[in-house]
Amino acid sequence: MRHSKRYEQLRQKVDRNRLYSLNEAVRLVKENANAKFDESVEVAVKLGIDPKKQDQMVSGTVSLPHGTGKKVRVLAFVKGDKVDEAQAAGADYVGFEDLIEKISSGWTDFDVAVATPDTMAGVGRLGKILGPKGLMPSPKTQTVTFDIGLAIKALKAGRISYRTDKTGNVHAAVGKVSFDEKQLIENIRSFMAELIRSKPASAKGQFIRKVVLSSTMGVGVRVDPKEFTDSVRREV
């Protein structure tokens, strides 16, 4: 794959064979982010799981202490008195049958969907549309609940969902390059601690195999996995 001159210049600043400390990696990612917009900071983690086994698939949610820096557009499938609760909590789109019809026509201009359990029989019809996009509400990600107001407020405040892809990797946006180093480090540590806690019982051996930090337009910086496994071990 051929990269731009800018990308090649950035790549020369990073030793691809070195495992950086988290502090060093965050500093490098911020220094190398020179695009003309506020780039997102993303973490990619290779897990020691067998992605072909359903009982080793990893998913969950975590509240980042400083949010993601991104305005999250929340859609709420609700009915009855939950409509007012969802609107009061700040949902961007609120409804039930009308939203199902709109999404069935191909509209998915939102970032996350939540639903009350009594709407799931109808929402389930959208599985083929929302599932592949990672937008399907699910109890596993705490997006199917009668506490709809709390769920919406948590998502607006920075709660994110994660799940493994087909190759056993997890990707997550953990802030913006405009965040200061301390904010990014605290967000990344919160995400990694939750990810480590979600290790399936059937997964054997080293769970965190590889951690790479990058900005939207930047190059990847490898972080020593021990940064996270050691800190979680100290908390136990």
Side-chain angles (χ1 to χ4, degrees):
M1 182 177 177
R2 193 168 183 176
H3 294 291
S4 67
K5 184 178 178 182
R6 170 189 167 278
Y7 186 90
E8 293 296 342
Q9 288 175 338
L10 291 177
R11 198 156 69 175
Q12 290 177 9
K13 297 180 180 178
V14 178
D15 184 345
R16 299 173 69 184
N17 297 316
R18 179 181 167 188
L19 294 178
Y20 289 88
S21 71
L22 180 58
N23 287 12
E24 292 172 326
V26 166
R27 195 170 303 125
L28 264 176
V29 167
K30 283 177 63 69
E31 288 174 357
N32 290 342
N34 54 13
K36 295 180 180 177
F37 62 93
D38 192 8
E39 298 179 53
S40 293
V41 176
E42 300 166 359
V43 60
V45 185
K46 176 68 175 176
L47 298 178
I49 61 170
D50 184 347
K52 295 179 181 177
K53 295 182 178 178
Q54 191 60 36
D55 66 345
Q56 293 194 22
M57 297 302 288
V58 174
S59 64
T61 63
V62 57
S63 293
L64 301 178
H66 304 288
T68 63
K70 177 184 176 184
K71 184 181 183 300
V72 180
R73 297 165 298 173
V74 179
L75 178 145
F77 294 108
V78 291
K79 54 187 179 179
D81 59 359
K82 292 296 180 181
V83 171
D84 290 341
E85 184 178 334
Q87 290 174 334
D92 298 272
Y93 308 100
V94 178
F96 179 38
E97 292 289 359
D98 54 333
L99 290 178
I100 290 177
E101 184 177 344
K102 192 172 181 178
I103 292 169
S104 297
S105 300
W107 176 81
T108 55
D109 196 17
F110 53 91
D111 300 305
V112 61
V114 296
T116 49
D118 58 345
T119 66
M120 285 306 293
V123 175
R125 302 199 302 267
L126 301 173
K128 290 185 178 179
I129 299 174
L130 298 183
K133 296 178 181 292
L135 294 172
M136 191 67 186
S138 167
K140 287 185 177 179
T141 56
Q142 301 174 41
T143 49
V144 177
T145 174
F146 277 117
D147 291 327
I148 204 72
L150 289 176
I152 293 167
K153 288 177 181 176
L155 290 165
K156 287 284 187 180
R159 194 178 81 195
I160 62 171
S161 302
Y162 60 88
R163 65 174 182 174
T164 45
D165 61 19
K166 293 179 180 177
T167 60
N169 293 311
V170 173
H171 301 264
V174 291
K176 296 283 189 179
V177 293
S178 58
F179 284 20
D180 63 36
E181 291 181 15
K182 183 172 181 289
Q183 289 175 315
L184 286 171
I185 288 169
E186 289 178 351
N187 272 1
I188 294 165
R189 288 201 180 282
S190 294
F191 170 73
M192 291 300 299
E194 186 59 35
L195 185 61
I196 290 170
R197 280 192 285 268
S198 68
K199 179 182 179 181
S202 58
K204 306 300 179 186
Q206 184 180 347
F207 183 52
I208 303 297
R209 297 283 179 85
K210 184 178 180 181
V211 182
V212 178
L213 197 65
S214 65
S215 64
T216 306
M217 302 295 288
V219 299
V221 180
R222 293 183 64 184
V223 184
D224 190 345
K226 291 181 180 177
E227 280 268 348
F228 310 107
T229 52
D230 288 351
S231 62
V232 169
R233 196 174 293 123
R234 285 195 294 271
E235 293 174 4
V236 175

